[in-house]
Amino acid sequence: SEMCIRDRQRAMEEVSAMKIRVKFKKWGCMKFIGHLDMMRYFQKAVRRADIDIRYSEGYSAHQIMSFAAPLGVGITSDGEYFDIDVNTTESTEKSIAALNAQMVDGVEVTGYVLLPDDAKKAMSLVAAADYVLSFKEGYESPYTIDEWKEAIDKHFFDEPSFVVMKKTKKSEREVDIKPLVYKLTVMENNKKPEFFMQVSTGSVDNIKPEFVLQAIYEKCGLDYNPLAIQIHRQEVYARKDDGTLSCLLDMGEEIS
């Protein structure tokens, strides 16, 4: 029957689909472009780069594309990801070159890998992310590097918990965020302190790095100025079955 033929065609199409994960950087004035505009930007760039992307079925067909943890406005990053379904694909090298030929200053594609057929979407896998928080030009740190190290040891590491008031649109509640901060160190950059953090990210336990820093400031009796801090995301991770973290790009293979 006609229905059986359609089902068979759909099954064949599903088999032929390939899942691709793309990694990109975002910096400069592009940090002010919001998530929805970035999505539209890449939809156009993918089309112009002649990537053989698949479209959804139905009247308003759209590209099959999903982004991992969306980035806040004003944040720069070396580790942004989106997944697409394609019918056919060129090599990793050619695909990156084709996409980068369409990029504006402030965005660069750095990875393009083929995922296993049973791979879950990046969006649902995100478990953690690395961030560096540094003082912007013209802003001074209230503490020296050693003073920050002492303060973080005293208020964060030496205490059994790190309870903060977390506000949502509907309520506020006390939350111990210590289990959600996997790494926290103070480093030096141009003789100024900067903070490295690995925090829980994703749909279940999501903690923003600036929220952690603000809470530390408050414990130290300092006034936190969000305008003084530049946030940079370095990498995004998924949690593997054995509990360890894996970079989202490492879950696929380069195409030769």
Side-chain angles (χ1 to χ4, degrees):
S1 73
E2 195 179 313
M3 218 165 149
C4 286
I5 293 166
R6 260 210 308 266
D7 287 346
R8 208 173 303 138
Q9 276 178 332
R10 193 168 288 146
M12 282 167 69
E13 280 177 4
E14 279 171 9
V15 168
S16 65
M18 287 183 276
K19 296 175 189 227
I20 301 289
R21 182 160 294 157
V22 181
K23 182 178 184 180
F24 66 96
K25 293 178 171 185
K26 187 180 175 191
W27 73 92
C29 60
M30 287 301 283
K31 71 182 180 183
F32 298 115
I33 304 298
H35 173 61
L36 289 175
D37 286 324
M38 282 307 289
M39 279 175 67
R40 292 188 195 102
Y41 169 78
F42 270 107
Q43 284 165 356
K44 288 175 183 170
V46 160
R47 210 165 49 230
R48 288 175 186 150
D50 282 331
I51 303 290
D52 187 12
I53 193 165
R54 286 172 69 88
Y55 284 80
S56 63
E57 291 178 0
Y59 291 113
S60 58
H62 57 270
Q63 293 177 2
I64 299 174
M65 177 186 285
S66 70
F67 280 69
L71 200 63
V73 173
I75 301 176
T76 56
S77 179
D78 286 336
E80 294 308 289
Y81 292 92
F82 64 88
D83 292 349
I84 53 174
D85 282 10
V86 298
N87 299 303
T88 58
T89 183
E90 292 280 7
S91 68
T92 290
E93 197 179 335
K94 281 184 178 172
S95 300
I96 289 176
L99 283 164
N100 279 333
Q102 306 301 326
M103 294 296 113
V104 294
D105 188 37
V107 188
E108 183 192 352
V109 173
T110 58
Y112 183 99
V113 295
L114 179 66
L115 296 171
D117 289 341
D118 60 353
K120 289 180 183 169
K121 284 182 179 173
M123 191 191 298
S124 65
L125 290 169
V126 172
D130 290 345
Y131 292 92
V132 172
L133 290 82
S134 50
F135 290 93
K136 290 181 189 169
E137 207 63 46
Y139 290 95
E140 289 303 314
S141 167
Y143 282 173
T144 64
I145 293 159
D146 287 338
E147 284 171 341
W148 272 122
K149 285 179 179 173
E150 275 178 37
I152 286 170
D153 280 346
K154 180 185 169 188
H155 295 294
F156 191 85
F157 290 114
D158 294 348
E159 294 292 328
S161 61
F162 191 78
V163 176
V164 296
M165 192 63 81
K166 202 171 182 191
K167 291 176 187 165
T168 60
K169 284 174 186 171
K170 292 178 181 172
S171 66
E172 44 177 52
R173 60 192 174 98
E174 286 191 338
V175 180
D176 178 13
I177 62 170
K178 194 170 181 181
L180 306 180
V181 181
Y182 305 138
K183 292 176 186 173
L184 172 58
T185 53
V186 184
M187 306 180 296
E188 184 186 332
N189 184 5
N190 288 333
K191 296 183 178 172
K192 275 186 173 183
E194 67 177 19
F195 308 90
F196 170 79
M197 272 184 226
Q198 187 178 84
V199 294
S200 176
T201 309
S203 53
V204 184
D205 288 316
N206 192 58
I207 188 88
K208 290 180 176 177
E210 63 270 35
F211 183 69
V212 178
L213 188 60
Q214 183 175 356
I216 290 167
Y217 260 73
E218 285 168 6
K219 296 270 193 226
C220 297
L222 300 168
D223 287 332
Y224 179 73
N225 178 6
L227 298 176
I229 304 293
Q230 178 59 52
I231 305 163
H232 178 74
R233 181 144 78 187
Q234 288 183 321
E235 190 51 89
V236 177
Y237 302 96
R239 196 174 298 287
K240 294 197 288 194
D241 293 338
D242 62 3
T244 58
L245 295 173
S246 167
C247 160
L248 287 180
L249 203 68
D250 292 345
M251 304 177 91
E253 287 183 4
E254 291 205 340
I255 307 152
S256 52

